Amino acid sequence: MREISKETLDALATQAIELPSWAFGNAGTRFKVFTTPGTPRTIQEKLADAAQVNRLTGLAPSVALHIPWDLVDDYTKLSEYAQDLGVRLGTINSNTFQDDAYKFGSLTNVDPRIRQKAIDHHYECIDVMHATGSEDLKIWLPDGTNYPGQGDIRGRQDRLADSLQKIYDRLGDEQRLVLEYKIFEPYFYTMDVPDWGTSYAHVTALGERAFVCLDTGHHAPSTNIEFIVAQLLRLGRLGSFDFNSRFYADDDLIVGSADPFQLFRILFEVVRGGGMEAGSPVRFMLDQCHNIEDKIPGQIRSVLNVQEMTARALLVDQPALRAAQDAGDVLAANAVFMDAFYTDVRPALAEWRESRGLPADPIAAYAKSGYAQVIVGERVGGTQAGWGA
Amino acid sequence: MREISKETLDALATQAIELPSWAFGNAGTRFKVFTTPGTPRTIQEKLADAAQVNRLTGLAPSVALHIPWDLVDDYTKLSEYAQDLGVRLGTINSNTFQDDAYKFGSLTNVDPRIRQKAIDHHYECIDVMHATGSEDLKIWLPDGTNYPGQGDIRGRQDRLADSLQKIYDRLGDEQRLVLEYKIFEPYFYTMDVPDWGTSYAHVTALGERAFVCLDTGHHAPSTNIEFIVAQLLRLGRLGSFDFNSRFYADDDLIVGSADPFQLFRILFEVVRGGGMEAGSPVRFMLDQCHNIEDKIPGQIRSVLNVQEMTARALLVDQPALRAAQDAGDVLAANAVFMDAFYTDVRPALAEWRESRGLPADPIAAYAKSGYAQVIVGERVGGTQAGWGA
Amino acid sequence: MREISKETLDALATQAIELPSWAFGNAGTRFKVFTTPGTPRTIQEKLADAAQVNRLTGLAPSVALHIPWDLVDDYTKLSEYAQDLGVRLGTINSNTFQDDAYKFGSLTNVDPRIRQKAIDHHYECIDVMHATGSEDLKIWLPDGTNYPGQGDIRGRQDRLADSLQKIYDRLGDEQRLVLEYKIFEPYFYTMDVPDWGTSYAHVTALGERAFVCLDTGHHAPSTNIEFIVAQLLRLGRLGSFDFNSRFYADDDLIVGSADPFQLFRILFEVVRGGGMEAGSPVRFMLDQCHNIEDKIPGQIRSVLNVQEMTARALLVDQPALRAAQDAGDVLAANAVFMDAFYTDVRPALAEWRESRGLPADPIAAYAKSGYAQVIVGERVGGTQAGWGA
Amino acid sequence: MREISKETLDALATQAIELPSWAFGNAGTRFKVFTTPGTPRTIQEKLADAAQVNRLTGLAPSVALHIPWDLVDDYTKLSEYAQDLGVRLGTINSNTFQDDAYKFGSLTNVDPRIRQKAIDHHYECIDVMHATGSEDLKIWLPDGTNYPGQGDIRGRQDRLADSLQKIYDRLGDEQRLVLEYKIFEPYFYTMDVPDWGTSYAHVTALGERAFVCLDTGHHAPSTNIEFIVAQLLRLGRLGSFDFNSRFYADDDLIVGSADPFQLFRILFEVVRGGGMEAGSPVRFMLDQCHNIEDKIPGQIRSVLNVQEMTARALLVDQPALRAAQDAGDVLAANAVFMDAFYTDVRPALAEWRESRGLPADPIAAYAKSGYAQVIVGERVGGTQAGWGA
């Protein structure tokens, strides 16, 4: 059993996990989207909910926006609104999966007009970034095909490279392009950015401010994700995480809920590769949607899971680990590693939270706060936010 | 290269593949449902579209209904309407995945009132069956949980057994209960009927008129599906197929499109196990939804894929295969098997179709028929059918 | 954080985990079997090593034998030898995968003489059981095929059923037949007992003393194993576990090392389903082979992993869990579940061990014992035990 | 149904598929290696067997060697021996998986002496290449770890990069380094080159004569392999294929036997990406080991499978496909694609073979040749070749 040191707590104090605005709206499967009272109707209400998470955990100082879901007329005003709530606007996420024009591709489409439309959408996102001060443009490319022969795999890559270059060239000097990959869905035969290798090949071709986004739910079964983390850190191209977890496909469950040990291994490689150090290019975000559980406590649970597991990763006795590794003592090395994982960090973190003016138990504090009751009472009428709006 | 014999053609002539009414409505992913002009707005229009498939292929004499999507006041009238179109009403599919009440389960719910509501829904389906003369009540149970601890796995099974018994006991003497299984989705941790073993255990407990439905898209990666087909036929409990295909999860692609050789192996086991013989309990159905391809030609392509692959399965030189198997000649046995698969049955089937008064090329005939243009012109206004209605 | 109660400790005190004799011999991949000094050359030396594990943990009172690897002339004498070491002989495992005759099948072979040879081998195993007092005959059937068409899937099942019946009928009244399943390997297209459904269908046909053996490493990717545990307990047919863990295929790693949370979920279902209660038919065994780690401490680590995780499973606050489940409070139910998992039970178990006259840290105690040095010195010459002998 | 054109036959006439010497020796699983009479005992006998495959198919003009399995004193003499048999020596494969020194890594080992030993082994391989005139040094790196914490993932990559650079720098100007990747086995937690992205990152760092080797059996379940083919061709880094097929893991089955349609899609991307054109860097090889089927006819079947499927890939009506793709006609594009796949090319290829002085049916010709009987009679005594020698 390991003791949490002051160094560990100092490292934890710098951790920030960005929340996705869309986590507070309704989400579901193709079969059913369950609705709940109190669901936000506007980006302002999403920000208010996100601010609750930050207020109770101190972990979530920024909120990612999704364009066009979070389109407003005045982003300066929205930024100020966020600041008043104690949060700031973060990554801008583009969306090319909800327009009929993109049925056969957006940045990869054979039709140059549709490609330009998709490029223009990203220019619009960059405009939003300038208005909000956002650093990252995140592109999750939903393009792909459903049937063998349907599209020209090679031609689609060439067009993608061209489209990405046009977007990248529009970025300001302090802005980054972060390219996410996903093995399948919404297309079921090919995806145009299915794996980290494809994302890596594209971002290295683009330039130094292009990075890979690793979404933990977007891999083939039995992929060793922490290896990819270590490799991308080594190559200097790990830009950000989209945290979530899954048992099967892109299940979008609470980070750490399906395989807590995997989350530990991932965060250990982040620590090992310098991803927690000042100046690291790595950003942490959640990207998960709550189908049946309550949304605000779901996000609180999520950031706490990341924090607790980061604490365990920081607890690993690195000199002892290195010594066992160098000696070829498999069982001893594994034991050092597991010792940190099995240590119950929760009491020490609760105490530390209180020392920083935060509730020891943020979930309980939320329940006591009455916030849920207030929003249920206030948010009557209007259209609940969801993926369609 | 094998020649198609008269026996093969005679066997093919008896093949019937039920179409799902919902294949003609809009479908998509949780990200986007693309709409198309000409999509049916009513069950009558769905039946009209299904009848086109049957008219051009002679393969699809019946249409499965989904309750409540296809609810009408008068099923006698609907049956007559179908008969006039040259088809009949087939399997009745229940639906317990689109009501807010079922968020935490339907037939497995801890709340006896919700269980009763779900049971009553199946009683209603049985009423429809009596009105339509349908033989099969198909239950795809969408119940499950998303998080470890969320539900009591064991208790849910016990309640499921109880609910199924109540439904089974209501069936008429000529009616069957067919229980489908699915590994995941819409729930992401447990499904209450995730595999053939669970379905088999339940149907054997119910009685002799309960069978397993095998949906080809509902298995874990690398599952040997034809083995399950052979086993269920041996155990006398294979009730029906839901045909479709997939590369990843429940992708709902056109049957035979992702792995034609797998479809061949499945149909070979059907033939081997007596599933093509008169009196066999096995029914063939499609259960696939077209996201981006045209719906009517998509269904035509699907039934033709099943027919062509059945022809190849029937072509296998069984005595030569048995001889090679018994001699332990691995390569020879595999060669006999592959010879049938690689034989191009299409020209002979086209000729045979013409000899029976059907178009040699049903896809081309559909294109020439002008039907697509007619429905685009006629089906203006109203609400296009989809999973929600 | 949960406190370990006296009831929990009492339940733990009854836990017994059988060790496989073959875990102490050399094992490896098809690419390489690494050898190590001190590896046993005889079953007597394997028993001596196994006894060390039991002496230090109090958890492993019996040792499973593998026939013919552990064939001796006099089993009465071997039993006495084991007793003197403080252990007893347990499950008898048959072996039909290392004789050239079984290339195309053993219990399923088309040749009746080869089937009889395989049946006779099991009769011989039953004779050993009578001599040793073993209760369980465990059959892992390695039969299968590598190529489509190579074998007749259906015929092989029929022959298997017949062979199993002959073996079952030979068992004594106190003896059980336990049938293991495995998705693939050593055959790569079909396995004749690939899944729990197949094993279940066979054992229910055999009779009341036939059970399913669940090997945790033998499933398709993303299979929910704890569901199968719950289902088999409900059906009264879970006979035993073969514990191990894996990231990919049948990797044979130390139980709990790849996914500790999965082991927790499995053991929770064991507790929930009565598998820890007196009179339960469920037996715990290890079946894992150490390729690169030291064998004796590897087995010590393994039984401790099972014990520690069982402690966590017993810690779950069942009334609180049930209340949250019944209320449909997904996050609260999951929190109750995770609270037990994240509780560090190691200090309390170390203390409890000492109170029972066992070392607080069995791994450290083994290192200090000098046993490893002794066997390296003594076991010189001869042939190290492995899968081939 | 498509007709085979003269252009297609001309393209096929240039196809060459390298055979692995080790395919003619014994191979098996960790459970059992079955032996057969007539198995070669020396590299000379392996070459003789390989020459039979080439004599009957005209498809396999070269043989890959595995060092040290195929070590001889005089490679000039061995080359002449091969030439007399009508074949030549091809790729040199290194082996760092069968020496006790490499238990914890070879090119990645923490011990610089062991790393140097592994580098020296590759220098020795390069010496062999100079003697044989081989162009390619193929490295399949078997390094990895079995347990979390066992090794330092990042440090292993850094050492690997350094070791590879030392090997690459030793290559002659006409020689290439080809780096294979594999998801798992012989290690079960991490592999040091697990995916195409890792191999690509290393070979681009090395220089222009470093390429990726794609082994079709080495991917996670549901990986889209043809996408990787298209991507690597686009990036100019696809060096060679190791062909085989599998249902589960690295099953090593006959290429095209598990999923013929996948092989078609792969070869279509090869054609599409210029991999069949003169000057392409892509080489075709088999890498499969026959466990239970006869070895020489197994290799004949394999090269014929590649040839037949290449013929189908060349048959695709590219202008029609492009037109349907550009029109967004999903079903028409797929139909063009499938038309080629379903065309039975076997009769035309048999005829063409005869026109070139080859047997129409190479498998039957082999059976008639009496070669099998001759080698069974001659190869008595000695040690049959296998992975260990």
Side-chain angles (χ1 to χ4, degrees), chain B residues 259-262 265 338 341-342, chain D residues 245 255-266 309 312 341:
Chain B
D259 187 347
F261 184 45
Q262 184 187 57
R265 300 191 310 261
M338 300 311 293
F341 176 68
Y342 281 132
Chain D
S245 78
V255 53
S257 66
D259 187 347
F261 184 44
Q262 183 187 56
L263 180 59
F264 172 76
R265 300 192 310 262
I266 288 171
M309 211 53 90
R312 291 187 187 91
F341 176 68

Side-chain angles (χ1 to χ4, degrees), chain B residues 20 22 28 42 108 332 356:
Chain B
W22 53 97
T42 62
T108 65
R356 301 170 70 216

Side-chain angles (χ1 to χ4, degrees), chain B residues 64 117 163 177 326:
Chain B
K117 174 185 162 80
S163 297
L177 185 157
D326 288 355

